[in-house]
Structures are given as structure tokens and as C-alpha cells.
Amino acid sequence: MKGSCPSSLKIFRFVLLTRMLFAGHVSSTVTEDDIKCLKGIKNSLNDPDGKLSNWSFNNNSAGFLCNLVGVACWMEREDRLLSLQLRDMKLSGQLPQSLQYCQSLKTLDLSANRLSGTVPAQICSWLPYLVTLDLSSNDLSGSIPSELSNCAYLNNLVLSNNRLSGSIPEQLSGLLRLKRFSVANNDLKGAIPLSFENNSKVDFAGNSGLCGRPLGKCGSLSRKSLEIIIAAGVCGAVFSILSGFGYFWCCGRKTKCYPQAR
Ligand SMILES: *[C@@H]1O[C@H](CO)[C@@H](O)[C@H](O)[C@H]1NC(C)=O
Ligand SMILES: *[C@@H]1O[C@H](CO)[C@@H](O)[C@H](O)[C@H]1NC(C)=O
Ligand SMILES: *[C@@H]1O[C@H](CO)[C@@H](O)[C@H](O)[C@H]1NC(C)=O
């Protein structure tokens, strides 16, 4: 009894101390990561209007990141990034890989810029806590990565007004918190996953190849495929008539020829 009390106290102190050390370690690397993230974004994007010109990183005071244009933090004076909203800034380039150092982001809005390239399949391992991802009105191409289903907290996924192609991945049905989803005005095709059947039409409009609810039925024939089928039918009929004639002509000849041969 005499020794057990101080030893458990020692353990408690040890746990407390390691926790504090660990917490301190984590928060300092988080800030370093956030700086790395923002520096990388600034370096990888073209910024013709200098919208990010006040993104300088030589100020060591707490919370300085939070005052940069387009940046918001979870708490004032604590450099943990909550959101990055760089809407309508004429930014061009590809989606920056350094976003992987912005793990704490809940909102990423890069809409109405001139971003090109693809939506990186790793984006949800870079930013696992995203609630809003708005990449609309850019010049993004390639397919919608099925890995977007790994952003389990997504409420808003806005990919409209790009040049995205391929089909809408079935896996996105797994995004159970999704409230807003738009892929309007892209080059998408194929069946819309069933989970979107009650969504608004406008969020799928402007894709010539998409079908299924809330748009028109899949499998209804397009004018072109109907023409092909009719043409194939007519050709088939003509061919069978001709081969029929050929058969009779041949047999007719044979029956005529046979007695002659004798
Ligand atoms: C550093 O950042 C703090 C907080 O945003 C600001 O008040 C201060 O003026 C900045 N200092 C310099 C030298 O930019
Ligand atoms: C950067 O610019 C914005 C708006 O122009 C301003 O609100 C902010 O305080 C500036 N931040 C720094 C660190 O200069
Ligand atoms: C769409 O609405 C209908 C009618 O309210 C409902 O039965 C169906 O389950 C809904 N579909 C989805 C995917 O929520």
C-alpha cells in the first residue's frame, strides 16, 4: 500500500508529461506543415494578378497564417488551417500536390480559376476531413476519381463547369453526408448512380452522355443508333432476298442441268 500510491502517481506524471510532449510536438509540426502547404500552393500556381502577393512566410507571430488572403483558421492565433478559399483569382496550373500538408482543412474552394490537369486520386488521403470541395468553373479534365468516396465527411462536392469525362463513379453513393453534388457542364457519360435519383436535374445538365434519373432513361435509343439499326435491318433484308434468289436460281439451274447432263 505504501509504495503503490507514489508509483501510480509517477505513472500518471509520466503519462501527463509524454502527452504534453507529444501534443507540443504535434502542434509544431502541424504549423510547419501548414506553412509548407501554403508555400507549395503559392509556388505551384500562376498568379497573374498577384492575389497571393501578401502570402509571405517570414512572420513568426502566432496566427500569422490566419491573416493571409483566403486563409481561415480553426481558432485565431492558432495556425491550424480550417479553410482555403481562393475563388475567382485567375490562378492557373495543376491542383498543388502540397495540399497534402494541409490535412486539417475542412473547406477547399478553388472555383472560378483556370486550373487544369486532373483531380488527383489522392486528394482524400491528402485532405481527409474535407466537408466542402469546390473545384467548379476551371479547366479540369480526366475522370472523376472513385477515391473521392474516401472523403467521408463531404457535404458539398461541386465539380461543375469543367471538362471532366468518363462516368460518375458508383462509389460516390457511399458519401452518405452529401447534400450538394454538381457535375453540370462537363463531358460525362453513362448512367447516373441510383443514389442521385432525387437530386436536381440542373446538377447533371450539360453532359451529353449522361442518362438515368434525374435525367432521361438510359437505353432509350438515340437518333443515330436508331438509324444504324434501321440501316442494318434493311441491309439484312436485302441480303436475305438476294441470297434467296441466288438459291432458287442455282437450284433451278441444277434441276435444269441435271437431266441435260444425262
Ligand atoms: C505579423 O503577423 C501579425 C499577426 O497577423 C501582425 O499583427 C504583424 O503586424 C505581422 N508582422 C509583420 C512584420 O508583418
Ligand atoms: C493580406 O491582404 C488582406 C486583404 O487584402 C488583408 O486583410 C490581410 O491583413 C493581409 N495580410 C497580411 C499578413 O498582410
Ligand atoms: C427518392 O425518393 C423516393 C420517393 O420519395 C424514395 O422512395 C427513394 O428512396 C428516394 N431515393 C433515394 C436514393 O433517396
Side-chain angles (χ1 to χ4, degrees):
M1 279 299 279
K2 224 185 167 186
S4 73
C5 204
S7 71
S8 58
L9 217 132
K10 264 185 202 162
I11 290 170
F12 178 71
R13 275 197 193 142
F14 176 74
V15 167
L16 207 72
L17 194 73
T18 48
R19 271 204 181 169
M20 279 162 67
L21 280 174
F22 185 66
H25 175 71
V26 164
S27 71
S28 73
T29 54
V30 161
T31 303
E32 275 167 33
D33 275 357
D34 288 340
I35 292 174
K36 203 172 176 182
C37 170
L38 297 182
K39 272 186 181 169
I41 290 172
K42 183 173 174 168
N43 289 338
S44 67
L45 296 179
N46 295 315
D47 175 20
D49 289 353
K51 297 276 188 184
L52 305 181
S53 59
N54 87 353
W55 278 28
S56 66
F57 303 94
N58 45 22
N59 183 339
N60 292 322
S61 69
F64 85 95
L65 286 182
C66 316
N67 283 323
L68 303 179
V69 167
V71 177
C73 297
W74 286 78
M75 280 187 264
E76 277 305 311
R77 311 191 57 74
E78 195 196 310
D79 295 319
R80 259 189 86 210
L81 303 188
L82 172 66
S83 74
L84 201 52
Q85 292 176 282
L86 307 176
R87 194 186 158 75
D88 198 10
M89 292 185 169
K90 298 198 175 80
L91 303 173
S92 65
Q94 307 211 340
L95 276 172
Q97 295 224 347
S98 55
L99 282 169
Q100 65 189 287
Y101 302 112
C102 272
Q103 281 244 328
S104 61
L105 276 190
K106 284 182 85 171
T107 298
L108 178 63
D109 180 357
L110 298 173
S111 62
N113 283 294
R114 296 164 180 174
L115 300 176
S116 54
T118 58
V119 178
Q122 311 92 318
I123 196 159
C124 293
S125 55
W126 297 348
L127 306 170
Y129 307 111
L130 278 183
V131 171
T132 295
L133 177 60
D134 189 344
L135 301 174
S136 62
S137 301
N138 279 289
D139 200 22
L140 298 169
S141 54
S143 54
I144 299 175
S146 59
E147 290 87 347
L148 280 177
S149 63
N150 296 335
C151 287
Y153 303 104
L154 269 185
N155 278 230
N156 309 292
L157 178 55
V158 191
L159 301 171
S160 47
N161 300 307
N162 280 290
R163 293 191 293 123
L164 298 169
S165 54
S167 57
I168 301 174
E170 194 65 49
Q171 288 89 335
L172 299 191
S173 301
L175 291 169
L176 299 177
R177 302 177 193 218
L178 213 51
K179 295 193 181 73
R180 170 123 208 268
F181 177 73
S182 177
V183 291
N185 303 314
N186 280 287
D187 293 326
L188 296 169
K189 62 176 172 26
I192 298 170
L194 268 181
S195 61
F196 297 113
E197 64 173 344
N198 295 330
N199 288 39
S200 168
K201 247 184 202 182
V202 294
D203 292 330
F204 299 90
N207 292 281
S208 55
L210 278 185
C211 65
R213 295 190 63 182
L215 301 179
K217 268 188 189 167
C218 287
S220 65
L221 296 171
S222 70
R223 205 195 150 96
K224 197 172 174 191
S225 45
L226 242 152
E227 278 168 7
I228 290 171
I229 286 169
I230 289 171
V234 169
C235 283
V238 167
F239 179 76
S240 28
I241 288 168
L242 285 181
S243 50
F245 271 126
Y247 179 76
F248 279 117
W249 181 73
C250 203
C251 283
R253 265 180 71 98
K254 260 185 191 163
T255 49
K256 270 181 199 159
C257 289
Y258 190 62
Q260 272 176 9
R262 273 208 163 180

